[in-house]
């Protein structure tokens, strides 16, 4: 268990955070297409190498969440990606859920699958050097009707079963119940849903005897729904987010990381800075940092466009964003 605690602590080391580079093949194809990039397995390898091969990322990244296909691919340095990260002091992690499907009890909501065969997959992943894992559940807000208590509970139950298996395999589970930004809901409603989702999660984790000191929580920020015309100030986001976390997350949890969820790179950076500052003022017990996919990748992808000659400029933009987000995590 000491090992789990030290891995978890290193993931939230001061000034560092995570790159979520764990888009499934389906998502990667869609994401790259939105930048006019056609994908093949080789193109996805180049896409990963654009980020993982950027010189200097070890100054800002404590870990990278990988997708299964990437574990077996090599960077331009001719090393397998997990090995290349380890050699630079970055923890390689792996997304282990297998995506979402409609929840039979409430068909407008989603439930995450991936528990079947999980112990065997974990044993195989551990051999590649991965030290932590991620499971994403999705919580949908729809007025006052969704999320349903059943969807929150069943997603929590699966997160707990996942966490138990991962700890038994000697890796740190990242628990990501993502409350979606989609919709017209208020920031107050998002805050309440995050609080309720996390309270349920930690109750169910206890029932499954998951060690709280060997997990990392990954959460959304409390934001007004994207379909609403209203924009929150970073101070408003910080106030609501820190309140939800203080009400629901036990102090033994070694760290909390945020997803960007569709915010622009600047919004995700400014909101993180305000949250870190507010958490400090409120005496929050956990280190807080980033675990972004889109907000870290967006600027670089729009420069890269899949062309070798654009790699240096794209990497410079990525490094610049990492510097800003790292500074933000310090408040
Ligand atoms: P975004 O930062 O793009 O929301 O992605 C984070 C993530 O890991 C989603 O599962």
């Amino acid at each position: 268990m000491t090992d789990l605690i030290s891995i978890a602590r290193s993931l939230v080391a001061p000034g560092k955070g995570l790159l979520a580079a764990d888009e499934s093949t389906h998502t990667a194809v869609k994401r790259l297409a939105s930048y006019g990039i056609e994908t093949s397995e080789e193109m996805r390898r180049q896409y990963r190498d654009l980020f993982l091969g950027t010189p200097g990322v070890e100054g800002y990244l404590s870990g990278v969440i990988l997708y299964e296909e990437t574990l077996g691919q090599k960077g331009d340095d001719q090393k397998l990606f997990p090995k290349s990260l380890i050699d630079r002091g970055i923890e390689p992690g792996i997304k282990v859920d297998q995506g979402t499907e409609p929840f039979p009890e409430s068909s407008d909501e989603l439930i995450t699958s991936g528990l079947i065969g999980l112990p065997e997959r974990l044993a195989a992943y551990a051999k590649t050097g991965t030290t932590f894992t991620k499971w994403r559940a999705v919580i949908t807000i729809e007025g006052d009707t969704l999320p349903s208590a059943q969807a929150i509970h069943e997603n929590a139950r699966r997160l707990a079963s996942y966490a138990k298996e991962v700890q038994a395999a000697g890796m740190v589970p990242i628990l990501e119940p993502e409350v979606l930004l989609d919709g017209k809901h208020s920031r107050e409603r998002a805050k309440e849903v995050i609080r309720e989702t996390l309270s349920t999660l930690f109750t169910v984790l206890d029932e499954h005897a998951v060690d709280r000191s060997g997990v990392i929580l990954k959460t959304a920020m409390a934001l007004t729904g994207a379909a609403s015309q209203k924009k929150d100030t970073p101070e408003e986001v910080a106030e609501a987010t820190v309140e939800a976390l203080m009400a629901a997350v036990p102090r033994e949890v070694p760290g909390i990381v945020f997803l960007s969820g569709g915010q622009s790179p600047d919004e995700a950076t400014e909101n993180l800075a305000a949250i870190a500052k507010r958490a400090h003022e409120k005496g929050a017990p956990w280190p807080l940092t980033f675990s972004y996919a889109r907000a870290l990748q967006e600027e670089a992808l729009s420069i890269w466009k899949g062309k070798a000659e654009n790699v240096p400029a794209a990497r410079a933009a990525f490094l610049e964003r990492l510097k800003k987000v790292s500074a933000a995590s310090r408040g």
Side-chain angles (χ1 to χ4, degrees):
M1 207 45 84
T2 332
D3 266 7
L4 292 187
I5 296 171
S6 64
I7 295 163
R9 287 202 182 128
S10 74
L11 291 175
V12 292
K16 292 193 179 178
L18 304 171
L19 169 66
D22 61 336
E23 295 83 359
S24 65
T25 300
H26 176 75
T27 304
V29 168
K30 256 193 352 200
R31 182 79 37 87
L32 293 177
S34 72
Y35 293 91
I37 304 166
E38 271 197 40
T39 34
S40 54
E41 188 183 337
E42 167 55 19
M43 206 53 180
R44 289 193 296 276
R45 187 200 68 78
Q46 290 181 30
Y47 159 51
R48 304 307 188 183
D49 195 55
L50 175 69
F51 295 99
L52 307 189
T54 296
V57 288
E58 60 276 12
Y60 309 100
L61 291 180
S62 53
V64 176
I65 314 170
L66 300 167
Y67 182 63
E68 190 163 25
E69 179 182 72
T70 319
L71 289 183
Q73 292 179 321
K74 288 181 179 169
D76 289 347
D77 63 3
Q78 300 311 317
K79 294 181 189 174
L80 286 166
F81 281 119
K83 167 88 170 89
S84 170
L85 292 170
I86 293 166
D87 286 352
R88 286 173 287 154
I90 302 172
E91 306 275 350
I94 175 79
K95 168 192 174 75
V96 305
D97 68 74
Q98 296 181 317
T100 55
E101 57 199 22
F103 181 38
E105 333 262 319
S106 166
S107 59
D108 290 334
E109 296 182 281
L110 296 168
I111 191 82
T112 303
S113 59
L115 289 173
I116 295 167
L118 182 60
E120 293 74 22
R121 287 192 288 129
L122 291 175
Y125 296 147
K127 290 196 185 121
T128 69
T130 55
T131 56
F132 71 100
T133 65
K134 184 189 100 172
W135 177 287
R136 173 177 179 257
V138 173
I139 305 293
T140 308
I141 305 181
E142 174 80 63
D144 288 334
T145 51
L146 298 185
S148 66
Q150 296 98 306
I152 291 180
H153 196 271
E154 181 57 17
N155 273 307
R157 196 189 65 74
R158 294 186 188 196
L159 277 160
S161 302
Y162 142 81
K164 191 83 191 148
E165 295 288 1
V166 171
Q167 289 187 338
M171 289 186 271
V172 168
I174 295 187
L175 304 156
E176 183 187 20
E178 174 174 0
V179 174
L180 294 179
L181 185 56
D182 304 341
K184 286 190 177 161
H185 53 267
S186 65
R187 181 177 65 254
E188 186 60 25
R189 175 85 175 123
K191 179 183 97 178
E192 277 312 304
V193 172
I194 291 172
R195 191 192 52 71
E196 177 65 29
T197 300
L198 298 183
S199 297
T200 304
L201 174 62
F202 284 102
T203 304
V204 177
L205 288 175
D206 280 356
E207 289 164 6
H208 283 68
V210 173
D211 183 351
R212 297 160 160 192
S213 64
V215 304
I216 294 282
L217 173 68
K218 178 161 177 169
T219 178
M221 300 174 185
L223 299 161
T224 300
S228 148
Q229 297 307 316
K230 197 177 161 300
K231 271 267 169 265
D232 307 299
T233 67
E235 291 68 34
E236 288 170 337
V237 175
E239 183 66 29
T241 304
V242 173
E243 249 182 62
L245 296 178
M246 299 281 279
V249 185
R251 56 184 315 111
E252 298 83 10
V253 171
I256 301 178
V257 299
F258 292 96
L259 57 98
S260 59
Q263 300 176 75
S264 72
D266 280 339
E267 282 167 349
T269 305
E270 286 156 21
N271 288 336
L272 178 63
I275 290 171
K277 181 164 172 278
R278 189 76 189 124
H280 184 71
E281 287 163 4
K282 288 271 205 176
W286 345 263
L288 304 169
T289 190
F290 58 92
S291 174
Y292 296 161
R294 284 165 287 178
L296 283 177
Q297 297 182 27
E298 198 175 296
E299 293 149 313
L301 285 177
S302 57
I303 296 171
W304 180 45
K305 299 194 185 75
K307 297 198 166 68
E309 66 265 29
N310 296 334
V311 167
R315 284 181 167 169
F318 174 49
L319 211 53
E320 198 47 42
R321 179 53 59 186
L322 270 178
K323 269 184 208 167
K324 290 180 187 164
V325 176
S326 153
S329 71
R330 294 182 185 267

